[in-house]
Amino acid sequence: MNRYLPVRKVYAREVLDSRGNPTVEAEVTVGEGIVGKEGYTGRAIVPSGASTGKFEALELRDKEERYQGMGVKKAVEHVNTHLADAVLGENALCQNRIDRLLLEADGTETKERMGANAILAVSLAVADAAAKAMRLPLYQYLGGCNAVTMPVPMMNILNGGKHAENTVDFQEFMILPVGACCFKEGLRMGTEVYHCLRKILKDRKLSVAVGDEGGFAPNLKSAGEVLAMMTEAVQAAGLQPGKDICFAIDAAASELYQEEKQGYYFPGESFMTGTEVLRTAEEMISYYEELVKEFPVVSIEDGLDQEDWTGWSLLTKRLGNKVQLVGDDLFVTNTERIAKGIEEKAGNAVLIKVNQIGSLTEARQAVELAHRAGYRTILSHRSGESEDTFLADLAVASGSGQIKAGAPCRGERTAKYNRLLAIEDQLGETAVYRWQGINGNL
Ligand SMILES: C=C(OP(=O)(O)O)C(=O)O
Ligand SMILES: [Mg+2]
């Protein structure tokens, strides 16, 4: 018989995210009078994306003048009324049931009525409260005694696309400290590379202003130029590219794809070279092949458009035996889309963003389905983040072994990394840190 830990209070407020946009924070109190007089209060702040996938659950925004239409007053109201009514008195230890009740209160496929932001805030805050009431660290409450795998951090050190106002067309260039012995050492290595890159950019009189996720955002001409500079930064840090540090790209290709042009348009490269750069899906794949040949790129996310299943299958056939091919906009943490991907042999890894699907249980089902099919998973932040560290605990709990949390700077990003440092300390010698390259490819 399950212990009964009743939800006693549910409350939400509007707070700000790292882009200065409003978002939902929920507080949930459980077990008043059962586990102590006051019970325990958990909280969660939901993140928000900029390059959102077409098939994501919908976050509710007010659309009135306040905050230029970005307010979340209605979503907050929904938490304080309908969603609170749905879960008050329910057992916080039954996360699946809590989430089912939240989904039923909404009743739509896309969560558009209550708002995925409203539902997720309550879902996560319930888990946080339950963990506190059980006096367990969140990662252990969620993952049990098997939660010992520290994630390899994918640190986004150069921003482009929708995350910056520069000429770099791909959205993210990341470094993976695959040769580190532990998370702490990996974070140190990555941070040193980040600082070396800053110096290289400064020496060349290029901008060291940063984008949404804390990576630098200079005007560069092509992915090749970016990766060459990153290689220099790794060497300047006294590390070996391809051995200590590998690279990952998030092309965010759905943002580049233009239906009317039937291809991927590169505005930055076109501007810098003075000729229109348009690539077909086939040309995109060949382009990735060249980059992988020249640089230690071990992971490519959203290499093609979110609706191009045929292209994705071809990409996977050509590169999937040595490169991690990650579906973000393609899968949107949605089990139906992941199942389709598995069937079509599209990609070999899934980016997990809890707010893409809108509840903790559904996000965990996505991880489970992916792992069962031999797909890798990467727990990921959004470009609009907060000081909330739920993601760090979930990354360890899921055993996925990878996390995307931005550059090793800016408080909303370092909050996750610092939480992981604390978790690794807590785990002590039981902590595991290991990069699992596709077919052993570093
Ligand atoms: C983190 C990402 O960006 P956003 O949150 O803007 O979707 C991403 O595309 O992986
Ligand atoms: Mg992405």
Side-chain angles (χ1 to χ4, degrees), residues 357-415:
I357 191 66
S359 76
L360 178 58
T361 301
E362 289 168 291
R364 302 201 72 185
Q365 285 165 348
V367 172
E368 207 182 299
L369 174 62
H371 286 179
R372 256 192 284 131
Y375 276 47
R376 306 284 160 85
T377 55
I378 301 139
L379 272 289
S380 173
H381 66 162
R382 299 305 306 245
S383 50
E385 265 294 337
S386 74
E387 62 276 22
D388 191 293
T389 57
F390 198 107
L391 175 72
D393 285 74
L394 188 58
V396 177
S398 67
S400 91
Q402 297 179 72
I403 190 170
K404 227 173 84 148
C409 81
R410 286 182 61 132
E412 76 279 5
R413 316 291 153 186
T414 53

Side-chain angles (χ1 to χ4, degrees), residues 273-350:
T273 58
T275 44
E276 185 177 83
V277 181
L278 188 71
R279 294 183 168 97
T280 63
E282 280 265 359
E283 286 166 345
M284 289 290 275
I285 297 170
S286 306
Y287 186 36
Y288 295 133
E289 281 176 332
E290 279 165 36
L291 293 175
V292 166
K293 219 180 274 168
E294 198 175 347
F295 302 100
V297 174
V298 293
S299 180
I300 298 171
E301 179 182 327
D302 279 353
L304 292 172
D305 182 62
Q306 60 203 333
E307 299 196 78
D308 187 3
W309 292 101
T310 317
W312 267 92
S313 300
L314 184 63
L315 171 69
T316 310
K317 214 182 208 168
R318 296 254 292 265
L319 277 168
N321 64 346
K322 56 177 176 193
V323 178
Q324 178 172 262
L325 300 168
V326 188
D328 170 11
D329 291 350
L330 180 74
F331 294 136
V332 289
T333 317
N334 180 317
T335 48
E336 275 177 34
R337 291 188 67 84
I338 297 167
K340 183 170 166 67
I342 293 165
E343 209 179 289
E344 308 258 340
K345 296 190 170 53
N348 54 26
V350 181

Side-chain angles (χ1 to χ4, degrees), residues 171-172 250 301-302 328 351 353 404:
Q171 184 178 281
E172 300 171 24
D250 178 1
E301 179 182 327
D302 279 353
D328 170 11
L351 201 75
K353 290 167 163 171
K404 227 173 84 148

